[in-house]
Amino acid sequence: MNFDPTEEQQLLAASIARFVERDYAFETRRRIVASAEGASPEVWSTMAEMGLVGLPLPAAYGGFGGGAMDAFALMEAIGGALIVEPWLATAALGAQFVARGGSDAQKQHLLPPVAEGARTMAFAHAEGESRHTLSHVATRAVPSDAGWVLTGIKRNVANGGGADTLVVSARIAGGDADRDGIGLFVVERGAPGLTTRALRMLDSTRAADIVLDAVPVSRDAAVGEPGSALPLIEDVVDFATALICAEAAGAIKSANDATLDHLKTRKQFGVPIGSFQALQHRMVDLAIEHEQVKSMACLACAAVDSEQDPQRRARTVSAAKVRIADACRRVSQESIQLHGGMGMSDELKVSHTFRRLTAIAQQFGDADHHLARFAALDRLPTEQMPEPRG
């Protein structure tokens, strides 16, 4: 499998690098995360003007029709610069449900403003008892004369407080953990009965708990066929998981670069500590981690772009997430240790990278969750097993 970027992807990567250097220095980020909004409308507008927000959206609705591999360089830059603007929540989650499962009317109404940077979105799915299990949905959608009434609480919704539009999962039938009976519904900010509780996460990104107290939505608000949404949820979450694997590659490279620079400049016994062979060996191990993470992230992104078998796609994405979650833990902790106590100071970027890598290791399922998912796919009947890869 050829993971070399195309000429267009190389040009995009160069453009993103210039944007980060010009508009997203670490001190700029510190000011952004300290603001009330926790994100910059100006940066978001610039990203939209560059075509980055519309990159994975259909060309017919103002996007560029790109896939995960096309967004790989962008996610590496997001990880390297620790960009907090809601690209993943909007373009890789909320808008993807509409692009992949929505009606033509929903696509026409929602996607062009997203691509233009005029609308942000979020996916409200996780609940207090769900952990990482996508089929566990206790929020209820009850039919009404006008459509549906949604009741429940969603936890830790990325961009939940700032999103103009939410895509909310709710159960129309069955028990809380049943695979069947789940629907997706578009809910606009300010809907009656909708309240948010703002949260600041470990990595300085913003999220919210979403309380749905008999929120009315129209019949047209349903995304796809109500009751059959789980395959679409799994598809989109696998897409987003592959993309945060690419983000991890960028964040790990940033942590490695900062650590190597520290080893070259910090002196002990009159010489740079990077001259000590034991520390050189540890630095080489971190460089190997980055190369392996980038390869696994490429594999996951290629799988969500081209793999038609959902089980094979899921198996590949889970394998990548297991490896990357382990690398996030190792690189983040090693980079702090090699910096010494100063590595945890807020003034150093590496401390913020440590927090983001810790969050990535948990996002969309930790290593234990994806190991269990991978093992469950391995236990499928022989005729359903994915063929070995070369």
Side-chain angles (χ1 to χ4, degrees):
M1 185 176 292
N2 181 16
F3 290 148
D4 292 335
T6 65
E7 182 179 355
E8 290 80 4
Q9 291 168 349
Q10 291 175 1
L11 291 172
L12 177 62
S15 176
I16 295 167
R18 289 192 296 271
F19 156 69
V20 169
E21 183 178 4
R22 182 185 69 243
D23 295 334
Y24 220 87
F26 176 59
E27 288 304 317
T28 301
R29 179 194 184 270
R30 290 188 68 192
R31 289 194 295 271
I32 290 171
V33 298
S35 67
E37 298 81 9
S40 167
E42 292 77 17
V43 169
W44 186 250
S45 178
T46 300
M47 293 176 73
E49 290 171 4
M50 293 175 64
L52 302 180
V53 180
L55 182 60
L57 302 181
Y61 300 98
F64 291 89
M69 286 301 295
D70 296 306
F72 195 97
L74 171 60
M75 292 308 298
E76 281 189 299
I78 287 175
L82 301 176
I83 293 174
V84 294
E85 279 61 39
W87 189 92
L88 190 80
T90 296
L93 282 170
Q96 285 299 313
F97 287 105
V98 177
R100 299 176 185 223
S103 65
D104 288 340
Q106 288 172 334
K107 293 174 184 177
Q108 191 61 53
H109 174 64
L110 295 172
L111 296 184
V114 168
E116 294 165 4
R119 180 189 299 269
T120 64
M121 298 184 69
F123 176 40
H125 181 69
E127 299 178 356
E129 301 297 323
S130 64
R131 188 59 175 163
H132 301 303
T133 304
L134 294 179
S135 61
H136 193 290
V137 177
T139 298
R140 294 284 161 171
V142 178
S144 68
D145 292 341
W148 303 88
V149 176
L150 310 182
T151 302
I153 300 176
K154 299 296 185 177
R155 301 291 188 185
N156 300 334
V157 178
N159 194 41
D164 301 297
T165 304
L166 300 171
V167 176
V168 179
S169 61
R171 184 170 293 282
I172 67 172
D176 289 355
D178 289 352
R179 289 184 61 83
D180 295 328
I182 301 171
L184 290 170
F185 303 89
V186 173
V187 180
E188 298 292 344
R189 180 200 290 185
L194 175 70
T195 57
T196 63
R197 301 169 183 164
L199 303 170
R200 178 169 174 155
M201 307 303 282
L202 168 72
D203 56 1
S204 297
T205 59
R206 300 302 174 91
D209 289 342
I210 307 293
V211 179
L212 302 139
D213 185 9
V215 175
V217 295
S218 67
R219 290 188 181 87
D220 294 339
V223 178
E225 182 64 29
S228 304
L230 186 58
L232 176 59
I233 293 172
E234 292 174 333
D235 180 30
V236 173
V237 171
D238 275 347
F239 179 75
T241 302
L243 287 172
I244 65 163
C245 290
E247 181 185 353
I252 285 173
K253 185 177 188 305
S254 173
N256 285 357
D257 289 347
T259 303
L260 181 60
D261 184 65
H262 178 73
L263 296 184
K264 289 178 177 180
T265 56
R266 173 76 166 89
K267 290 186 176 181
Q268 189 68 37
F269 308 112
V271 296
I273 61 175
S275 65
F276 303 148
Q277 191 175 51
L279 299 188
Q280 292 174 2
H281 290 169
R282 290 170 70 175
M283 198 66 237
V284 168
D285 288 342
L286 296 185
I288 292 171
E289 290 282 350
H290 172 251
E291 290 300 324
Q292 291 180 343
V293 162
K294 188 165 184 177
S295 294
M296 290 301 291
C298 284
L299 181 64
C301 287
V304 297
D305 280 349
S306 60
E307 183 55 70
Q308 299 300 310
D309 183 350
Q311 293 168 350
R312 194 191 299 270
R313 179 202 70 220
R315 194 170 183 267
T316 302
V317 170
S318 283
K321 188 58 163 60
V322 169
R323 181 66 190 88
I324 283 158
D326 182 67
C328 286
R329 176 192 56 79
R330 182 178 185 187
V331 172
S332 63
Q333 294 178 8
E334 280 280 279
S335 63
I336 294 299
Q337 189 175 62
L338 289 169
H339 272 81
M342 64 183 294
M344 287 303 296
S345 62
D346 192 68
E347 289 78 10
L348 286 191
K349 182 183 175 184
V350 72
S351 71
H352 297 260
T353 305
F354 168 83
R355 296 168 201 169
R356 181 56 192 149
L357 286 171
T358 302
I360 288 174
Q362 298 293 320
Q363 196 169 1
F364 304 127
D366 58 11
D368 288 342
H369 168 78
H370 282 282
L371 276 172
R373 186 188 191 211
F374 187 92
L377 290 165
D378 255 357
R379 290 194 294 269
L380 291 171
T382 303
E383 62 273 12
Q384 297 182 37
M385 285 289 292
E387 296 176 4
R389 292 184 181 272

